[in-house]
Amino acid sequence: MEGVDVPSYFVCPISLEIMKDPVTVATGITYDRESIEQWLKSSSDCPVTKLALPKDTDLTPNHTLRRLIQAWCTINASNGVDRIPTPKSPLNKIHVLKLIQELSIPRLQLKSLMKLAVLASESDKNRKCMVEAGLTKPIVAFILKSCAEINSDGFEEALSILHQISTVSTDEFKVLVMEKQEFIHLLTRVLRAKDNNNEIMRTHAVSILKSTIEVSSVGVLQKLNLDFFKTIVKIVKESISHQATKSALHILFESCQLSQNKLKIIEANAVLELIELELTIPEKRITELIFGILDGLCSCADGRAKFLEHAGGIALISKRMIRVSPVVDDFAIKILASICKFSARNEVLQEMLNVGVWRYWKPYGLLGFSTTVIKNAVRAF
């Protein structure tokens, strides 16, 4: 394209590149669709005029300009200019409603689910359109109806769709979870099934389960049993995918806010698996979640005992302090404080001294938990 003069009105004012899908906003200025949609995520003003745009402003396709750009690209093809393909029409409610109707027709169900899954994966705008068209309820109903056979036709596609749209349908999703409490049991079955080696399906299931737990009432969280937590800890241990691991950690973090769940999580061997995971996959957000869960579990005697059983527990705390984030530092100090206050055996304090925990003694005010042994340790250090 060197040496080719591009007409200024073919260029998007935001990206400064030739527009592939020109759309006009309420102020009369034309932009490339992708650029203006990205802009409107963080601003409500027109980039050129600085005038406020209406909420949920319409982006009107400028077909005439698009055809001019395509014709110009064709003429200049010999100069290395690629032709701009005709963009797809934006998804609308009418099309989604048609696909929803087809879900109730057995012979069309699978085809409809496959189309919806593709559309949901394409963009946030598509997912928002699907939610506004009322897709969440029929998808949940389909999943519940298919729960007898998790490998049935369309089940994986339905999970994929719900995984995609649950992030933009919080209110409706919350209502459905309250109405259908067996939904948690179904998702747990998907994760627990011995013949289910489909990592994508399991990742979607645990992600939806995370969204479910986040909007569940205290009453629902109190009913979570030991088998549930064993299943979630197994997901943490297996590390089937990065997303699945983070979702499982979120579930444990939310659940351990209730004291009655802490003992179940501890019994599910979460403490040891969390330490092992942190030693294997250190990453800021995962570390923050792990330390947050460990802080909650170490408020119990059983949790502290399990933590101290692991040969690398205290060393891990020392290694992460002042190296990851203030959030991790706060959780780490709480863990150390609980151990110093309630489990300060000589051998524990000696290990703290050996791994260098005392470097953080004065800055964080841990001297308030001193005992004769601690004083001696500090003096020796």
Side-chain angles (χ1 to χ4, degrees):
M1 265 189 69
E2 292 185 13
V4 179
D5 292 328
V6 180
S8 59
Y9 53 93
F10 285 3
V11 176
C12 173
I14 299 174
S15 68
L16 301 181
E17 296 179 353
I18 296 175
M19 290 182 279
K20 298 177 181 178
D21 186 6
V23 293
T24 305
V25 299
T27 57
I29 307 297
T30 298
Y31 303 94
D32 191 57
R33 181 185 294 277
E34 183 178 350
S35 297
I36 189 62
E37 285 182 344
Q38 191 65 33
W39 173 277
L40 292 174
K41 288 180 180 179
S42 57
S43 175
S44 59
D45 297 339
C46 173
V48 172
T49 66
K50 307 302 180 185
L51 297 174
L53 294 170
K55 189 177 181 180
D56 296 325
T57 187
D58 289 331
L59 302 178
T60 306
N62 192 329
H63 296 300
T64 301
L65 180 57
R66 174 180 52 78
R67 293 189 186 103
L68 286 172
I69 293 173
Q70 287 178 323
W72 179 87
C73 289
T74 300
I75 292 171
N76 288 277
S78 59
N79 296 319
V81 178
D82 295 328
R83 187 179 186 279
I84 303 297
T86 301
K88 290 182 180 179
S89 299
L91 184 64
N92 56 59
K93 282 187 180 180
I94 296 175
H95 184 49
V96 177
L97 288 170
K98 180 177 180 295
L99 292 172
I100 290 174
Q101 289 178 341
E102 291 176 356
L103 285 177
S104 59
I105 305 172
R107 62 185 177 83
L108 298 177
Q109 272 183 352
L110 182 57
K111 189 175 180 180
S112 175
L113 286 166
M114 292 175 70
K115 288 180 180 178
L116 288 166
V118 171
L119 290 169
S121 67
E122 287 180 350
S123 67
D124 285 336
K125 188 169 184 179
N126 281 3
R127 291 188 281 273
K128 185 177 179 182
C129 179
M130 291 174 165
V131 170
E132 290 174 350
L135 178 62
T136 308
K137 189 171 183 177
I139 286 296
V140 170
F142 178 88
I143 291 172
L144 288 170
K145 188 177 179 181
S146 306
C147 67
E149 179 51 66
I150 64 174
N151 292 315
S152 60
D153 289 342
F155 189 84
E156 181 178 351
E157 286 77 11
L159 274 182
S160 174
I161 294 165
L162 187 57
H163 161 67
Q164 298 276 1
I165 67 175
S166 61
T167 57
V168 291
S169 62
T170 305
D171 292 338
E172 187 177 7
F173 190 72
K174 183 174 181 178
V175 171
L176 290 170
V177 168
M178 296 307 177
E179 290 177 351
K180 310 288 186 183
Q181 291 190 14
E182 69 269 26
F183 200 53
I184 291 178
H185 300 302
L186 167 61
L187 294 171
T188 308
R189 274 190 57 231
V190 174
L191 296 174
R192 195 183 295 144
K194 293 181 180 180
D195 59 341
N196 183 13
N197 296 317
N198 189 323
E199 293 183 0
I200 295 176
M201 186 190 295
R202 296 175 76 199
T203 295
H204 290 163
V206 73
S207 178
I208 297 167
L209 191 52
K210 165 188 169 288
S211 300
T212 304
I213 294 297
E214 287 176 342
V215 299
S216 294
S217 65
V218 172
V220 172
L221 296 179
Q222 287 174 333
K223 294 178 181 177
L224 299 175
N225 57 31
L226 178 59
D227 285 341
F228 170 83
F229 290 116
K230 284 183 176 180
T231 301
I232 301 304
V233 171
K234 184 180 179 184
I235 295 297
V236 171
K237 181 179 181 179
E238 291 179 348
S239 296
I240 57 175
S241 71
H242 186 264
Q243 185 180 6
T245 299
K246 286 185 72 173
S247 295
L249 291 173
H250 273 286
I251 292 169
L252 293 175
F253 183 82
E254 292 289 335
S255 301
C256 78
Q257 304 307 308
L258 296 179
S259 57
Q260 50 266 68
N261 283 338
K262 291 179 182 178
L263 291 177
K264 299 173 191 173
I265 297 173
I266 294 165
E267 190 176 347
N269 205 35
V271 175
L272 298 181
E273 293 301 340
L274 289 171
I275 294 173
E276 286 296 322
L277 176 64
E278 178 57 25
L279 290 170
T280 307
I281 316 177
E283 187 227 282
K284 180 181 175 181
R285 184 54 185 149
I286 286 182
T287 299
E288 289 176 345
L289 286 168
I290 288 174
F291 272 56
I293 300 164
L294 289 175
D295 170 40
L297 301 182
C298 283
S299 65
C300 301
D302 289 352
R304 291 190 296 275
K306 285 291 184 182
F307 180 85
L308 294 173
E309 274 183 22
H310 196 292
I314 293 176
L316 176 66
I317 298 291
S318 176
K319 189 175 181 180
R320 297 291 184 265
M321 290 277 284
I322 319 182
R323 290 181 177 88
V324 182
S325 73
V327 173
V328 171
D329 293 345
D330 289 344
F331 285 136
I333 290 304
K334 289 179 183 178
I335 294 169
L336 290 175
S338 294
I339 292 171
C340 288
K341 190 171 183 179
F342 301 108
S343 306
R345 302 190 305 275
N346 288 358
E347 60 271 25
V348 172
L349 297 171
Q350 184 60 49
E351 184 175 356
M352 287 185 175
L353 178 61
N354 293 341
V355 300
V357 167
W358 309 112
R359 286 174 292 177
Y360 316 111
W361 200 263
K362 289 183 180 179
Y364 287 97
L366 286 179
L367 206 55
F369 297 101
S370 61
T371 65
T372 302
V373 176
I374 293 177
K375 288 177 181 178
N376 292 335
V378 174
R379 195 175 298 119
F381 184 74

